[in-house]
Amino acid sequence: MSKYDIIVLGSGPGGYVTAIRASQLGFKTAIVEKESLGGVCLNWGCIPTKALLKSAQVFEYLKHAEDYGLKVDGADKDFDAVVRRSRGVAEGMSKGVQFLMKKNKIDVIEGFGKLKPGKKIDVDGTEYSADNIIIATGARSRELPSLKQDGKKIIGYREAMTLKEQPKKMIVVGSGAIGCEFGSFYNSMGTEVTIVEYLPNIVPVEDEEVSKQFERSLKKAGIKVMTGSSVESVDTSGDGVVATVKTKKGEEKLEADIVLSAVGIKTNIEGIGLEDVGIITDKDKVIVNDWYQTNMPGYYAIGDITPGPALAHVASAEGIICVEKLAGMHVEKLDYGNIPGCTYASPEIASVGMTEKQAKEAGYELKIGKFPFSASGKASASGNKDGFVKVIFDAKYGEWLGCHMIGAGVTDMIAEAVLGRKLETTGHEVLKAVHPHPTMSEAVMEAVAAAYDEVIHL
């Protein structure tokens, strides 16, 4: 039986990052993967969806070339080629992880891993043991009873990435990041898209002003948005689908070629031996302490299967903290109040910290500043004037409570707020940090200036 210091079960952005950091710290490490290195994120999630969205963005530029004083004759698309490019990007990233495994001398064990008592893992009949086992099995598309996925007419995100033909009409159920990103992509490609959201606002975790701006932008792009609505049933007996949607005004029938179910995720914790080992779960999550230890010594869990936000960058951070603690290093607990969230639709959304509503409910007296991209020179020059930056500060001590952005490229800008909040930066410190001009990022400085009644360009 092969013996390791650490075995990681699952090779997504939680698992493979954990394995690399463990190896760097001198642990003899192995990683178990039943499918492709990189997990859902690299192969079926974060990375290939961004490739699809980039193709959609380029196509939008081609369609609106005349807005930039250019002429492009017969701008058209090859849907199959767009999908092939996305798959090629994913395959390249997965090969990159393979290289990193070899570089860091991590043993890759291919197959389905099942936990066993005594700090062992059975992989398709072969047993491996370790001093510590870190579970990072991630999650998959969640199914609703009224939306059973058949992979053809009612699909999840995996099928949405590799459709053989572009649908003429699509219903997207759920307006979180996954639903909005696919809705945005297919709309740009020419599909007639309807987004159905059960809650009163789309992208419901975002600040309400961002949500309202986003809904306006989607409608302007030709996407139909139905909030406060739910899909009660879907008839797939005909050539396409007929969805019965319950709205505030009554039931409505929607016809489409395909329904994309984007109603959240389901953790991959079945059949991996948690019960055999005695590991406690609650509400579909593995219960862990601040250092990701389960109730059973020697067994740890990180990423989507634990109670924190189901985000790739959170899984990576948790895994690093977990193995650094195992190595005896002095580590800080992860601050779950300072995790950035990003939606890569058109326009993009990025946020960190409290929304205005949350800050008010917490009892803070607020200073709020907003700066619209319509007043930004860089945004005007690039033709991306929709959106704004909104900042929220505690009026008493100047603490940066939250930052919310919607517009072109804002997912690359939010890190300034994350870092500023980590360093306990005050509003005046942000304001006095000189930002480059002309850039989209100077809108952060301008929004802070607006909060403190010092704005120049409004």
Side-chain angles (χ1 to χ4, degrees):
M1 183 191 299
S2 298
K3 175 77 188 293
Y4 294 91
D5 297 323
I6 291 176
I7 295 177
V8 182
L9 180 58
S11 76
Y16 86 77
V17 168
T18 301
I20 290 171
R21 187 68 184 121
S23 180
Q24 289 174 344
L25 291 168
F27 291 111
K28 184 184 177 186
T29 307
I31 195 163
V32 179
E33 174 55 56
K34 68 182 175 67
E35 197 174 331
S36 303
L37 284 171
V40 166
C41 180
L42 262 67
N43 295 282
W44 297 102
C46 333
I47 305 302
T49 53
K50 304 313 162 279
L52 292 175
L53 287 161
K54 186 62 183 181
S55 292
Q57 183 188 52
V58 173
F59 189 43
E60 285 290 332
Y61 275 131
L62 290 173
K63 288 188 288 184
H64 296 98
E66 289 191 8
D67 295 347
Y68 298 85
L70 304 171
K71 287 189 176 179
V72 177
D73 293 329
D76 204 356
K77 64 185 181 298
D78 181 340
F79 187 75
D80 282 346
V82 168
V83 171
R84 283 198 306 274
R85 176 182 180 271
S86 169
R87 299 316 310 150
V89 169
E91 286 162 18
M93 293 297 292
S94 189
K95 285 176 183 173
V97 177
Q98 289 175 32
F99 165 76
L100 290 172
M101 295 298 102
K102 287 179 183 174
K103 177 188 172 188
N104 289 281
K105 299 180 175 58
I106 296 163
D107 288 350
V108 177
I109 304 167
E110 295 180 1
F112 186 89
K114 188 169 182 180
L115 304 167
K116 301 189 78 174
K119 294 185 281 192
K120 296 173 187 171
I121 291 185
D122 179 288
V123 184
D124 297 335
T126 303
E127 274 193 4
Y128 302 85
S129 69
D131 293 329
N132 301 284
I133 292 172
I134 301 173
I135 313 158
T137 47
R140 61 187 185 274
S141 179
R142 185 163 71 96
E143 287 191 69
L144 293 178
S146 60
L147 270 180
K148 287 289 183 186
Q149 296 175 24
D150 59 15
K152 293 174 182 176
K153 291 183 179 179
I154 303 176
I155 63 173
Y157 57 79
R158 285 180 80 129
E159 293 87 3
M161 246 174 267
T162 55
L163 288 179
K164 296 286 186 279
E165 292 180 9
Q166 181 187 346
K168 290 184 173 64
K169 290 184 178 182
M170 174 183 274
I171 299 166
V172 178
V173 184
S175 73
I178 293 172
C180 287
E181 287 177 14
F182 277 114
S184 186
F185 166 70
Y186 277 100
N187 173 68
S188 293
M189 290 285 109
T191 297
E192 191 179 311
V193 175
T194 300
I195 295 178
V196 180
E197 170 56 53
Y198 178 73
L199 294 171
N201 299 316
I202 58 169
V203 285
V205 300
E206 302 294 343
D207 188 89
E208 282 185 24
E209 285 191 88
V210 168
S211 174
K212 287 171 183 172
Q213 172 66 48
F214 190 55
E215 185 169 343
R216 286 194 295 271
S217 295
L218 292 186
K219 288 178 176 176
K220 184 177 167 185
I223 295 175
K224 183 180 179 182
V225 177
M226 301 174 71
T227 52
S229 304
S230 60
V231 175
E232 298 297 298
S233 63
V234 180
D235 182 356
T236 60
S237 61
D239 290 338
V241 296
V242 179
T244 301
V245 182
K246 185 180 177 183
T247 73
K248 287 167 275 189
K249 297 176 183 176
E251 283 193 347
E252 190 175 326
K253 301 283 188 185
L254 295 182
E255 294 185 6
D257 301 309
I258 274 179
V259 173
L260 168 59
S261 177
V263 291
I265 58 168
K266 165 77 180 74
T267 58
N268 295 321
I269 60 173
E270 316 96 324
I272 62 169
L274 294 176
E275 302 84 358
D276 299 341
V277 175
I279 293 172
I280 293 173
T281 63
D282 182 48
K283 296 176 183 172
D284 206 36
K285 301 278 188 175
V286 177
I287 303 305
V288 293
N289 65 12
D290 291 336
W291 315 113
Y292 309 103
Q293 186 168 4
T294 69
N295 62 298
M296 299 302 292
Y299 293 86
Y300 299 78
I302 61 161
D304 294 1
I305 63 169
T306 63
L311 298 167
H313 43 284
V314 171
S316 298
E318 289 174 344
I320 290 169
I321 289 170
C322 180
V323 293
E324 288 183 346
K325 184 72 173 177
L326 281 172
M329 295 174 64
H330 173 72
V331 290
E332 293 180 7
K333 294 185 292 186
L334 188 59
D335 179 4
Y336 288 99
N338 197 34
I339 302 294
C342 296
T343 300
Y344 299 81
S346 181
E348 292 182 355
I349 299 170
S351 59
V352 67
M354 292 182 178
T355 64
E356 181 179 347
K357 184 181 178 184
Q358 288 168 340
K360 283 178 177 174
E361 287 173 351
Y364 288 101
E365 185 185 337
L366 305 179
K367 281 189 178 292
I368 295 172
K370 270 178 68 179
F371 190 79
F373 286 121
S374 58
S376 160
K378 179 64 180 294
S380 291
S382 61
N384 294 304
K385 296 197 291 182
D386 280 356
F388 57 83
V389 174
K390 176 178 178 177
V391 292
I392 302 164
F393 288 92
D394 169 28
K396 190 174 181 181
Y397 297 111
E399 181 187 355
W400 198 350
L401 298 175
C403 185
H404 307 273
M405 308 177 179
I406 177 168
V410 296
T411 56
D412 291 315
M413 290 166 47
I414 195 64
E416 174 177 351
V418 178
L419 183 60
R421 282 166 43 76
K422 172 71 174 172
L423 299 175
E424 299 182 351
T425 300
T426 64
H428 276 103
E429 287 173 328
V430 178
L431 190 52
K432 298 307 176 187
V434 178
H435 286 59
H437 174 76
T439 60
M440 300 289 278
S441 64
E442 66 186 323
V444 178
M445 178 187 70
E446 294 276 17
V448 174
Y452 286 89
D453 299 321
E454 297 180 28
V455 67
I456 300 295
H457 290 100
L458 277 183

